[in-house]
């Protein structure tokens, strides 16, 4: 199988690069190489490609050999490889296989569905396969909770294969760009009115709420869900302790900057590590 040589990425960054390369191969099969991919998944390949060649005994023998070869390829899979190439082939012979297998029998579904729907289905299964391969490597090389979370966040920042194939990814980028431009214009128009007032998003320190404040948690989560930690880049969550830098006005998980709620109560002006380093320079 082309491109299937043993490859064992061991770090989060290596696994993510492997994920991106395999993803690129599958996307190539479903977009730029879609005609070739569609043809290779034809379950009736023998009917219209070889029956017209039955002119002589020699062609008949050739037809039987080709038929035997194609008949074996019943459950075809779409593989993406670390070299950004793709291949339609049989599943691995060994049990269990070296890596998780893609969806089997994609060729059987091809003629029973509209081409667009079939490609979307293959894309969804491709997304699932890529995740299973990435986290297989994570389990094999002992990624802990933090590594797995970081790997998932890196993967989740990319659009899925399904979003790329269906065109949803372009639509999302366009919508984000429109919202960003609108927000930028609105911010400029209101800049004079705001002056030097402190940010009114939420308090300087944000701590987990009690069960009695569950309704407030939902409102808080909805209002500030797009706020990102200045250290790890993850979203705001109402059940985590957060603190805001009084210099750059960025928010941080307390755990990311090693500030506890108890310690925060005694801080009059908090400066994040980046701002602290800036002030320390001559």
């Amino acid at each position: 199988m082309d491109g299937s040589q043993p490859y064992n990425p061991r770090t989060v960054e290596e696994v993510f690069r492997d994920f991106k390369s395999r993803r690129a191969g599958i996307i190539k099969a479903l977009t730029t190489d879609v005609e070739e991919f569609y043809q290779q998944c034809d379950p009736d390949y023998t009917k219209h490609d070889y029956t017209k060649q039955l002119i002589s005994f020699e062609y008949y023998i050739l037809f039987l050999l080709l038929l035997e070869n194609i008949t074996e390829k019943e459950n075809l899979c779409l593989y993406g490889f670390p070299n950004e190439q793709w291949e339609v082939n049989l599943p691995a012979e060994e049990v269990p296989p070296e890596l998780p297998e893609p969806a089997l029998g994609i060729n059987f579904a091809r003629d029973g569905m509209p081409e667009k729907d079939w490609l979307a289905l293959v894309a969804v299964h491709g997304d699932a396969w890529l995740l299973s391969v990435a986290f297989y490597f994570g389990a094999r090389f002992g990624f802990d909770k933090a590594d797995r979370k970081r790997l998932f966040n890196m993967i989740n920042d990319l659009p899925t294969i399904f979003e790329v194939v269906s065109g949803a990814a372009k639509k999302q980028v366009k919508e984000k760009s429109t919202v960003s431009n609108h927000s930028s214009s609105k911010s400029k128009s209101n800049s004079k009115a705001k002056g030097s007032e402190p940010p009114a998003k939420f308090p300087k320190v944000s701590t987990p709420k009690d069960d009695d404040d569950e309704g407030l948690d939902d409102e808080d989560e909805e209002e500030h869900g797009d706020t990102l930690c200045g250290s790890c880049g993850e979203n705001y969550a109402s059940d985590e302790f957060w603190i805001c830098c009084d210099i750059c006005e960025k928010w941080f998980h307390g755990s990311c900057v090693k500030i506890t709620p108890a310690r925060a109560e005694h801080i009059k002006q908090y400066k994040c590590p980046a701002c602290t380093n800036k002030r320390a320079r001559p």
Side-chain angles (χ1 to χ4, degrees):
M1 189 183 298
D2 181 32
S4 62
Q5 292 82 4
Y7 176 68
N8 296 320
R10 295 176 178 270
T11 67
V12 172
E13 288 71 23
E14 288 176 344
V15 171
F16 181 60
R17 284 197 297 270
D18 178 83
F19 175 93
K20 287 201 301 182
S21 298
R22 294 178 187 274
R23 172 179 172 273
I26 295 178
I27 289 176
K28 185 179 179 183
L30 299 178
T31 54
T32 57
D33 296 346
V34 66
E35 292 184 6
E36 180 184 352
F37 169 65
Y38 193 79
Q39 182 180 8
Q40 288 191 26
C41 293
D42 188 352
D44 297 323
Y45 193 64
T46 58
K47 290 183 180 178
H48 49 70
D49 279 344
Y50 296 108
T51 50
K52 293 180 181 179
Q53 296 182 3
L54 298 181
I55 302 173
S56 64
F57 179 76
E58 289 79 6
Y59 275 120
Y60 179 69
I61 297 299
L62 175 62
F63 172 75
L64 291 178
L65 292 173
L66 289 170
L67 180 61
E68 180 182 358
N69 181 53
I70 293 170
T71 303
E72 292 176 356
K73 294 186 177 182
E74 292 182 345
N75 286 307
L76 294 177
C77 306
L78 172 61
Y79 292 88
F81 296 119
N83 60 0
E84 300 188 4
Q85 298 303 312
W86 62 274
E87 183 179 68
V88 172
N89 212 323
L90 293 166
E93 294 181 0
E94 66 270 18
V95 178
E98 174 67 19
L99 293 177
E101 290 181 344
L104 303 179
I106 57 174
N107 50 320
F108 290 151
R110 204 203 76 165
D111 282 358
M113 303 175 66
E115 181 178 351
K116 184 177 179 181
D117 293 342
W118 178 73
L119 291 173
L121 183 65
V122 175
V124 170
H125 282 289
D127 283 317
W129 177 66
L130 288 177
L131 278 175
S132 66
V133 171
F135 280 85
Y136 165 83
F137 284 131
R140 181 170 180 177
F141 297 111
F143 287 5
D144 58 18
K145 180 180 179 181
D147 286 339
R148 294 194 302 272
K149 188 174 184 179
R150 187 155 64 96
L151 174 61
F152 179 79
N153 287 335
M154 294 168 73
I155 291 173
N156 201 37
D157 283 338
L158 296 173
T160 64
I161 298 174
F162 173 77
E163 289 173 334
V164 173
V165 171
S166 64
K170 291 184 179 179
K171 184 179 179 182
Q172 290 173 6
V173 170
K174 185 176 181 180
E175 289 176 351
K176 286 182 179 179
S177 177
T178 303
V179 171
S180 176
N181 292 336
H182 177 71
S183 300
S184 177
S185 301
K186 188 175 180 181
S187 176
K188 288 180 181 178
S189 64
N190 295 336
S191 59
K192 291 183 179 180
K194 287 185 177 180
S196 58
E197 295 179 5
K201 267 190 171 181
F202 35 25
K204 174 184 176 182
V205 174
S206 178
T207 55
K209 309 292 192 305
D210 296 331
D211 293 338
D212 295 339
D213 297 330
E214 184 176 352
L216 295 176
D217 284 352
D218 294 339
E219 294 178 4
D220 208 32
E221 187 78 33
E222 182 178 353
E223 182 179 356
H224 311 305
D226 291 335
T227 303
L228 303 179
C229 173
S231 178
C232 68
E234 294 185 14
N235 289 73
Y236 166 82
S238 59
D239 60 346
E240 295 177 301
F241 169 68
W242 280 56
I243 188 167
C244 180
C245 174
D246 289 308
I247 306 300
C248 64
E249 298 186 353
K250 290 183 179 179
W251 286 85
F252 300 86
H253 290 109
S255 57
C256 289
V257 292
K258 299 181 180 179
I259 300 293
T260 63
R263 183 180 173 188
E265 291 180 1
H266 302 284
I267 300 177
K268 293 183 179 180
Q269 184 186 52
Y270 173 68
K271 290 187 288 186
C272 69
C275 291
T276 301
N277 291 335
K278 288 179 182 179
R279 291 298 179 92
R281 293 174 184 173

